[in-house]
Amino acid sequence: MPEAQSPTRKRIVDAATRLFYAEGIGRVSVDAVAEEAGLTKRTLYYHFKSKDDLIAAYLDGRDQPNLKRMAGWFDAAEGGADRKVEAIFTNLARAAHHPKWKGCGFLRTAAELASMPGHPAIKVGSRHKSNFETWLAGELSARNIEEPQALAREIVLLIDGSFSIMLIHRNPDYIEAAGRAAATLVRARISSNQV
Amino acid sequence: MPEAQSPTRKRIVDAATRLFYAEGIGRVSVDAVAEEAGLTKRTLYYHFKSKDDLIAAYLDGRDQPNLKRMAGWFDAAEGGADRKVEAIFTNLARAAHHPKWKGCGFLRTAAELASMPGHPAIKVGSRHKSNFETWLAGELSARNIEEPQALAREIVLLIDGSFSIMLIHRNPDYIEAAGRAAATLVRARISSNQV
DNA sequence: CGATGTATACCGACTAGTGAATATACACAA
DNA sequence: TTGTGTATATTCACTAGTCGGTATACATCG
């Protein structure tokens, strides 16, 4: 039985992360992951019972870093909740200029696995997106924004819409437009007794 | 040289449409498409020079039907522009309940081809999404809505956000929430001298 | 010894794409 | 009418390579 936190396992997940994000889970073979990790396929299958498991582990490893990055942008931004929300989009648009940017790994994986709704990787993605939505609703609630849950959900829709459309048009203007729409929706819910 | 509108070609595209939408372009082999169409792979390759070409033809064939369906929902809805826009989401949510529903074929294909931004199928998808955005801006403009282009873009972001999140959570509530947000954004732009 | 980890070598199934032959239909000439 | 040429359309059989996954063996270390 492999150890849950073995360094070899981490090497495999790191290699899978690089390849899966760059090429998509369907276009990357297990052989390629093993080679990228610098070991043989048999060793990979000692640590993971299937490719599907490895895909889920890849997404699981992206959960916390992704959340922290978003929260970092939110926290660092000056101004009220509207400006902080818009900062997420502004930073996203900047990140999208990077040549290695390929959208949201969670959404792309869900799209590739659309015919397998119960796939373990999709459950991981669902949990991640819920985590983000819950975190955002908490931040909005702490700032006395009205209907924080509903608003958080609308912002999530605009963020994921940006991710998707970017893969079609490759035009970051869409992300900026989504940011302005999100800021508008936030301002519409700033309550009267607000800091 | 094959004929552009040969009935055989149409049979192939129809078969490809069924399989590609149901399983995703990467999970469907050319052999499978040929068998679904009731002919041999060699015949398929007589009509299409590559699988990539066939994928582009699949999406090209979905352009007009998709636009007509959206426009039909918009036209059929009672009320002002806000209600008509919201009707698109309501109908989308209803369609998403169907067991064969697998999201937006254009977005899913773009996600699968994220590592090949210049792929012909992505160009077809980009054109389709632009067509829809332009059509919607026209409808909004005809109803004296302010900033119709900006608003159309925001609505598109909410629609495509709905498509993406649905593949993660499989919960049509997100589409309804997006519809309410879209209606809010429309109402914020209803000008004073309006019918 | 026994647990953990790694390597070589292999499996059957499937992949996109192709070579060569052939069926069909129609044009034109004897 | 009959024969020949030609373009379109289709099939069978095949290639060279990749796929996820595994059987077996061997190392290292407590």
Side-chain angles (χ1 to χ4, degrees):
Chain A
M1 192 96 39
E3 240 181 273
Q5 281 306 351
S6 115
T8 303
R9 185 192 152 100
K10 181 176 180 335
R11 275 212 353 249
I12 296 169
V13 173
D14 287 350
T17 299
R18 287 191 293 276
L19 297 184
F20 284 158
Y21 181 74
E23 304 288 337
I25 58 165
R27 306 179 89 85
V28 174
S29 68
V30 177
D31 291 275
V33 173
E35 188 184 342
E36 172 83 10
L39 35 78
T40 64
K41 186 162 57 166
R42 193 62 190 84
T43 298
L44 188 154
Y45 273 102
Y46 175 76
H47 290 274
F48 298 91
K49 77 172 210 288
S50 67
K51 183 182 182 182
D52 289 332
D53 254 37
L54 177 57
I55 295 166
Y58 144 58
L59 287 188
D60 202 50
R62 300 314 304 159
D63 175 54
Q64 289 303 313
N66 267 30
L67 289 176
K68 279 194 188 4
R69 195 163 76 137
M70 297 288 227
W73 289 336
F74 185 92
D75 292 339
E78 308 275 338
D82 58 330
R83 301 284 291 276
K84 282 176 171 291
V85 165
E86 197 167 1
I88 294 179
F89 291 86
T90 309
N91 281 282
L92 231 36
R94 190 160 37 78
H97 278 95
H98 193 285
K100 285 191 179 176
W101 189 89
K102 302 275 167 55
C104 171
F106 296 92
L107 294 183
R108 280 173 55 207
T109 302
E112 286 201 54
L113 300 174
S115 62
M116 313 165 71
H119 194 287
I122 293 192
K123 288 177 185 160
V124 173
S126 177
R127 187 155 41 78
H128 168 74
K129 293 288 182 187
S130 290
N131 285 346
F132 176 76
E133 191 178 327
T134 301
W135 164 80
L136 181 57
E139 295 291 330
L140 297 171
S141 174
R143 286 166 179 79
N144 293 324
I145 308 281
E146 290 169 7
E147 303 183 279
Q149 274 103 354
L151 179 55
R153 179 157 296 193
E154 293 168 5
I155 294 167
V156 160
L157 282 157
L158 286 167
I159 290 176
D160 290 336
S162 305
F163 278 126
S164 309
I165 294 208
M166 267 299 290
L167 294 182
I168 286 263
H169 292 311
R170 295 281 169 171
N171 177 3
D173 291 353
Y174 280 86
I175 310 184
E176 306 278 9
R180 286 191 296 274
T184 300
L185 291 170
V186 174
R187 281 191 288 273
R189 264 144 171 161
I190 291 179
S191 63
S192 40
N193 58 345
Q194 148 110 16
V195 192
Chain B
M1 192 100 37
E3 241 181 277
Q5 282 305 350
S6 109
T8 304
R9 186 191 152 98
K10 182 176 180 333
R11 265 192 27 229
I12 297 169
V13 172
D14 287 350
T17 299
R18 288 190 294 275
L19 298 184
F20 284 157
Y21 181 75
E23 305 286 338
I25 58 166
R27 306 180 90 86
V28 173
S29 70
V30 177
D31 290 275
V33 174
E35 189 184 341
E36 172 84 10
L39 34 78
T40 65
K41 183 163 58 165
R42 201 65 188 81
T43 298
L44 189 153
Y45 273 102
Y46 175 77
H47 290 273
F48 299 91
K49 80 171 209 289
S50 67
K51 184 181 182 184
D52 289 331
D53 254 37
L54 178 58
I55 295 166
Y58 145 57
L59 288 187
D60 201 50
R62 299 314 304 159
D63 175 53
Q64 288 302 313
N66 267 32
L67 290 176
K68 281 195 186 3
R69 196 163 74 137
M70 297 288 226
W73 289 337
F74 184 92
D75 292 340
E78 308 275 337
D82 57 330
R83 301 285 290 278
K84 283 176 171 290
V85 165
E86 196 165 2
I88 293 180
F89 291 86
T90 310
N91 281 282
L92 231 36
R94 190 160 38 77
H97 279 97
H98 194 285
K100 286 193 178 176
W101 189 88
K102 301 274 167 56
C104 170
F106 295 92
L107 293 183
R108 280 173 55 209
T109 302
E112 287 202 55
L113 300 175
S115 62
M116 312 165 72
H119 193 287
I122 293 193
K123 289 178 186 162
V124 174
S126 178
R127 186 156 40 78
H128 168 73
K129 293 289 182 185
S130 290
N131 285 347
F132 176 75
E133 192 177 328
T134 302
W135 164 81
L136 181 56
E139 294 291 330
L140 297 171
S141 175
R143 285 165 180 81
N144 293 325
I145 309 282
E146 290 169 8
E147 302 182 281
Q149 273 103 354
L151 179 56
R153 180 159 294 194
E154 292 168 5
I155 294 167
V156 160
L157 282 157
L158 286 167
I159 290 175
D160 290 336
S162 305
F163 277 126
S164 308
I165 295 210
M166 268 298 292
L167 294 182
I168 287 262
H169 293 311
R170 295 278 168 173
N171 176 2
D173 291 353
Y174 280 86
I175 309 183
E176 306 278 8
R180 286 191 298 273
T184 300
L185 292 170
V186 173
R187 281 191 289 272
R189 265 145 169 158
I190 292 180
S191 62
S192 41
N193 56 345
Q194 149 109 17
V195 192

